[in-house]
Amino acid sequence: MFTLSPSRRSFLAAASAGALTLTLAACSGGSAEQTAPEDVKTLTVIAANSPWTEGLKTLATEYQQKTGVQVKIEAYGNEQLNDTYKVKLNASSSDFDVMAFQVQDVMREFSRNGWLTDMTDYVSSDADWDWEDFQQPAREAVQLDDVVYGVPVMTEREIVYYRKDLLQQAGIPVPKTLDELKTAVSTLNDPATGTFGIAMRGSRVPLVTQYSSFLYSFGGDFQGKDGEATIDSPEAQQAFQFYGDLLRSDGPPGVTNMGWVEASALFAQGKSAFYIDADSQAYTFLDPTKSSVVDTVGFAQFPAGPAGSKFYNIVPQTVGINEFSTKKDAAWEFIKWATSKENTARLLSENTVPGARESAWADASAAEAFPAELVDIIRNAGESGVGHDRPQLEQVAQAREIVGGPAIAAIEGGDVAAAAKDAQKQFQDLLDSEG
Amino acid sequence: MAVSTTSPAPAAARPSTRRSFVDRVDAHLKWVLIVPSVAFVGLLIAFPIAYTAYLSFTNASGSVSRPKRFVGLENYTRWLTDADRFWPAVGRTAYFTGAALVLELVIGLAIALLLRKTFRGQGVVRVLILLPLVATPVAVGMMWLLIFEPTIGFANLVLGWFGIPAQGWLSDPSTALNTLIFIDVWQWTPMVVLILLAGLTTLPEEPDEAARVDGAGAWQRFRHITLPLLAPVIGAAAILRSIDALKTFDIIYATKGVGGGSSHEAETLNVLAYGQAFQFSQYGRASALLMLFFLLIVIVLATLAILRKKADQS
């Protein structure tokens, strides 16, 4: 038998301490203890890559100069962003404070999981900051059961992008109705010369949000008044058929593998006469380094269907506070500053961020940076805009996969009615499972 | 004033307690010394697997800290009776792994045999062959996605030069999985080449020379001498590649996205589990699926190990 030497003892002590630290680190949750704003030296923001996030990088530098608080920004692609949140928040992580999220994708789920801070008192705390200045639909979009979970920082609508030159050559006016759109698309479809009639999302999940405006304009919706599934309604089936026919007859090959990245690339390269998607992509086509249609791209309001021109008008980016953050008040101070009237107008004019403040849009010099046609559509959104672009429930991702089914059947020329009936049952089951 | 009633006795007893603890540690020092490694394995390997197993018997969804209910084998029976997503995914996983493995071993062996002979510029060729191996899988996926784009991609442009009609490659549901196998073969064959080349250089030359003296042809020498001698190395390469191919995720996700495409045409078990966990937040179901996948990998590995043992014995 041998005895422990002092060095062995300290080694054992260090080893046990190490193991204990690991165990505690694995077991500990986020601490609710808050740091006073004046003691906060750094804040961490997690956001999706977007014009707003780009603008925020400049604002963050200025904020540091003004207050001494360093703001670190981590930006991800949309899908990676949600994965990052799920991993970090499932572990009650407090290593980030400000979180930009997509209201429609995750707000229900995240708020029920207890991951989002209730910001109701924050937004009403400062009259000068002026919560009421935010567009009403945008304010409504970030609330659930009268609780505010974030501040809307971007708005977005579905619009029609078209090639002015091609329409002019063929003597076709800008389509005002879906029927006119269909005729124009088939007239301009010329695969032999490498120009397709239309490019749109055809991939099962991504297409759902862009199908939504077709659905509304045909008079349907994903859910009825009581939240029940309505995706096999005659209107929904007509919309599925219309969407599928457009892409099957006059769209590019391989369309069921296309999200907005692929479809917008075709339009930017001059290989498509029409492109229908969110207006936030307008600046891709106006950027000479990314687009060969800078001088020929036109913007038009979503065409009218049997129920009129009804397009989504949503809040794609909202900025909230991590419930597990230890610097909530400091996080709010930064959000308040970044979303002030002055900075919203600045982001609108300098970074073309379509903000949600009425005052920014009323400022003619700030809105000048936007093409006039686009500003008209945005101002008209009040009458035609629908506040959502996907099913409204907690399990949005699963619902989108279900709703995409009949659209794929339509694109592939399959039995839309049977696919819609099947999807309706699955969607209703999913809604029922949430109670 | 508050009066302390604490007895001093425990303080007095402390030194002897400490000594007996030290003595006990001393007596079992060899066990104490392995504590860090046991803690490491426990925390980083055993705990995640055990926790996944636990979650697989619950209806955990949304957040793992939300209240969950024990549902027994419900998640397992749900998957095992799911003919829409689970079994096709099992089939695709097996097909992808099998096809990629066979192609990589055959092509890898052929290239390794060619590179075994010395020739001018051998160094450059070896470096070029290894290039795909050092590329990040997601970047590889994005690159091939562009090459195989049906309208503006390079692959169809090349086909056009030879008058061959454009193909759907990744976008056509009937060819997507085969195109992915091609990408996997492109990226991972170099690794097989590397392993087999290392094996070939260690083979004894005498049997080959003896056979040559006896008048055996090149094919006969390959079939009856090189191949049997190289079998253990081929076996090792097969095991390494089959594990990798079974859990392929990145190139499928980068090219076909969530769900493995619009008709789930490239959805393997890994992609399905990812969708359930990260897209649908169905942690209970995803855990059950991963446990089934874990079992499948263990079975495949055990089978390969047994086959290898039998081959070694014979």
Side-chain angles (χ1 to χ4, degrees):
Chain A
M1 188 176 172
F2 51 87
T3 52
L4 282 174
S5 69
S7 61
R8 266 195 186 146
R9 274 185 206 164
S10 47
F11 165 74
L12 283 176
S16 352
L20 187 67
T21 314
L22 276 174
T23 318
L24 287 178
C27 301
S28 70
S31 162
E33 207 169 293
Q34 294 293 309
T35 311
E38 56 274 18
D39 296 330
V40 170
K41 294 282 168 262
T42 57
L43 283 172
T44 304
V45 180
I46 296 189
N49 291 314
S50 73
W52 178 75
T53 310
E54 283 306 306
L56 195 70
K57 287 177 185 166
T58 317
L59 293 186
T61 316
E62 288 178 14
Y63 193 70
Q64 185 173 1
Q65 286 162 357
K66 192 170 163 261
T67 62
V69 177
Q70 190 194 358
V71 181
K72 294 180 197 160
I73 300 174
E74 289 175 31
Y76 297 87
N78 275 332
E79 282 172 359
Q80 287 74 25
L81 181 76
N82 289 342
D83 293 354
T84 304
Y85 282 143
K86 285 181 185 177
V87 170
K88 284 179 180 283
L89 294 168
N90 255 317
S92 308
S93 170
S94 60
D95 65 1
F96 65 101
D97 312 289
V98 178
M99 52 189 288
F101 58 91
Q102 289 180 298
V103 174
Q104 306 212 44
D105 260 341
V106 298
M107 192 170 74
R108 273 191 164 72
E109 183 185 351
F110 284 14
S111 62
R112 282 181 195 171
N113 290 344
W115 292 347
L116 298 172
T117 299
D118 177 349
M119 291 174 69
T120 320
D121 291 339
Y122 282 135
V123 296
S124 52
S125 63
D126 188 339
D128 286 342
W129 178 73
D130 198 1
W131 177 230
E132 300 297 316
D133 183 37
F134 286 84
Q135 294 161 353
Q136 197 191 336
R139 268 184 289 140
E140 283 170 7
V142 298
Q143 294 183 40
L144 208 58
D145 305 325
D146 295 329
V147 176
V148 177
Y149 287 108
V151 177
V153 289
M154 273 179 81
T155 61
E156 193 173 81
R157 291 138 293 269
E158 185 161 359
I159 63 163
V160 176
Y161 298 92
Y162 64 93
R163 287 273 301 280
K164 289 178 187 170
D165 54 333
L166 294 182
L167 263 69
Q168 214 165 10
Q169 278 164 25
I172 301 172
V174 179
K176 292 249 185 281
T177 65
L178 285 174
D179 288 338
E180 286 173 17
L181 174 77
K182 194 169 174 54
T183 313
V185 164
S186 6
T187 312
L188 294 175
N189 185 39
D190 191 4
T193 60
T195 309
F196 300 98
I198 191 163
M200 286 194 296
R201 303 183 193 188
S203 185
R204 187 180 185 117
V205 174
L207 70 75
V208 172
T209 51
Q210 310 312 307
Y211 158 75
S212 69
S213 299
F214 288 84
L215 176 65
Y216 309 148
S217 298
F218 269 97
D221 204 331
F222 298 106
Q223 286 150 275
K225 272 188 203 143
D226 300 319
E228 77 281 10
T230 54
I231 51 168
D232 71 340
S233 67
E235 295 83 7
Q237 290 190 36
Q238 283 167 18
F240 280 127
Q241 195 69 59
F242 187 89
Y243 195 91
D245 286 349
L246 269 186
L247 284 177
R248 190 179 63 258
S249 317
D250 306 307
V255 74
T256 52
N257 212 34
M258 277 187 188
W260 71 266
V261 178
E262 293 81 10
S264 69
L266 282 182
F267 186 77
Q269 295 196 13
K271 295 199 172 290
S272 165
F274 286 91
Y275 172 58
I276 300 184
D277 212 291
D279 59 359
S280 51
Q281 291 166 39
Y283 297 91
T284 312
F285 304 129
L286 295 171
D287 178 350
T289 61
K290 292 176 187 161
S291 162
S292 63
V293 295
V294 176
D295 302 321
T296 51
V297 59
F299 313 94
Q301 182 169 324
F302 192 86
S309 167
K310 298 257 175 221
F311 52 89
Y312 67 71
N313 180 36
I314 56 150
V315 174
Q317 286 287 314
T318 297
V319 59
I321 301 173
N322 173 12
E323 176 65 17
F324 306 109
S325 165
T326 55
K327 306 167 187 168
K328 285 183 188 169
D329 289 344
W332 165 245
E333 287 303 319
F334 173 67
I335 291 175
K336 195 168 78 170
W337 182 79
T339 58
S340 64
K341 286 181 186 171
E342 187 196 350
N343 282 330
T344 305
R346 253 186 75 188
L347 291 180
L348 185 67
S349 65
E350 289 172 18
N351 296 81
T352 57
V353 179
R357 276 190 180 272
E358 303 273 11
S359 58
W361 286 105
D363 180 347
S365 61
E368 230 171 44
F370 280 71
E373 296 157 301
L374 209 51
V375 175
D376 283 347
I377 299 169
I378 294 170
R379 287 193 175 137
N380 194 21
E383 296 155 27
S384 310
V386 178
H388 58 277
D389 68 349
R390 62 200 79 186
Q392 294 175 288
L393 72 167
E394 192 181 325
Q395 300 185 61
V396 183
Q398 204 164 347
R400 281 181 75 165
E401 199 175 280
I402 295 170
V403 176
I408 294 299
I411 294 170
E412 290 175 342
D415 186 344
V416 175
K421 199 176 157 201
D422 181 38
Q424 165 77 10
K425 189 186 171 303
Q426 288 183 48
F427 185 26
Q428 188 58 53
D429 286 349
L430 186 66
L431 286 165
D432 292 343
S433 75
E434 288 189 6
Chain B
M1 188 183 149
V3 178
S4 170
T5 55
T6 316
S7 152
R14 221 170 277 150
S16 70
T17 314
R18 187 179 293 164
R19 189 161 304 135
S20 72
F21 171 72
V22 169
D23 287 346
R24 245 179 291 150
V25 168
D26 196 13
H28 301 100
L29 187 65
K30 62 177 177 183
W31 299 112
V32 174
L33 287 174
I34 62 167
V35 164
S37 42
V38 169
F40 177 82
V41 171
L43 277 174
L44 297 179
I45 299 171
F47 174 73
I49 294 175
Y51 193 62
T52 307
Y54 157 69
L55 281 181
S56 72
F57 295 112
T58 69
N59 67 347
S61 64
S63 155
V64 286
S65 51
R66 255 159 86 162
K68 44 192 167 289
R69 194 165 42 84
F70 183 76
V71 293
L73 290 172
E74 192 183 299
N75 290 324
Y76 289 92
T77 47
R78 187 190 164 97
W79 285 121
L80 293 172
T81 54
D82 180 357
D84 288 337
R85 300 288 285 274
F86 178 76
W87 287 111
V90 171
R92 281 184 217 107
T93 308
Y95 173 67
F96 180 90
T97 308
L101 188 64
V102 169
L103 286 171
E104 280 160 24
L105 287 178
V106 171
I107 299 171
L109 184 58
I111 296 175
L113 287 169
L114 285 176
L115 288 183
R116 186 193 188 186
K117 303 246 163 51
T118 46
F119 57 89
R120 262 178 70 177
Q122 193 176 29
V124 179
V125 172
R126 284 190 183 187
V127 170
L128 285 178
I129 282 181
L130 290 180
L131 276 182
L133 201 59
V134 294
T136 316
V138 173
V140 167
M142 302 297 276
M143 179 187 86
W144 284 106
L145 188 62
L146 282 174
I147 293 174
F148 286 133
E149 211 290 325
T151 313
I152 49 180
F154 184 67
N156 279 345
L157 181 74
V158 173
L159 289 189
W161 293 341
F162 299 100
I164 303 169
Q167 304 293 313
W169 303 112
L170 283 164
S171 56
D172 184 343
S174 62
T175 55
L177 198 57
N178 289 331
T179 308
L180 284 164
I181 290 171
F182 167 81
I183 298 174
D184 194 78
V185 169
W186 174 84
Q187 186 169 28
W188 293 107
T189 303
M191 196 182 90
V192 178
V193 172
L194 209 61
I195 298 171
L196 297 187
L197 203 53
L200 279 172
T201 51
T202 60
L203 291 189
E205 286 179 16
E206 293 82 3
D208 195 62
E209 277 170 19
R212 201 189 291 262
V213 171
D214 289 344
W219 170 249
Q220 281 176 310
R221 279 182 284 130
F222 170 72
R223 170 76 185 78
H224 296 289
I225 296 171
T226 312
L227 207 54
L229 285 174
L230 201 60
V233 183
I234 296 175
I239 286 187
L240 282 174
R241 270 313 298 145
S242 55
I243 297 171
D244 263 355
L246 266 174
K247 59 191 179 67
T248 301
F249 171 77
D250 17 38
I251 57 166
I252 305 178
Y253 183 66
T255 53
K256 298 297 293 178
V258 184
S262 288
S263 310
H264 309 304
E265 62 268 18
E267 187 174 63
T268 56
L269 283 173
N270 243 343
V271 176
L272 180 60
Y274 172 83
Q276 290 291 317
F278 286 97
Q279 299 295 311
F280 298 175
S281 305
Q282 295 285 357
Y283 302 115
R285 274 181 221 162
S287 300
L289 183 60
L290 285 169
M291 291 311 291
L292 288 170
F293 192 22
F294 183 64
L295 272 179
L296 179 78
I297 293 180
V298 169
I299 292 169
V300 168
L301 283 183
T303 314
L304 281 173
I306 291 167
L307 287 176
R308 220 176 135 190
K309 209 172 175 185
K310 274 191 181 165
D312 284 352
Q313 281 166 354
S314 66

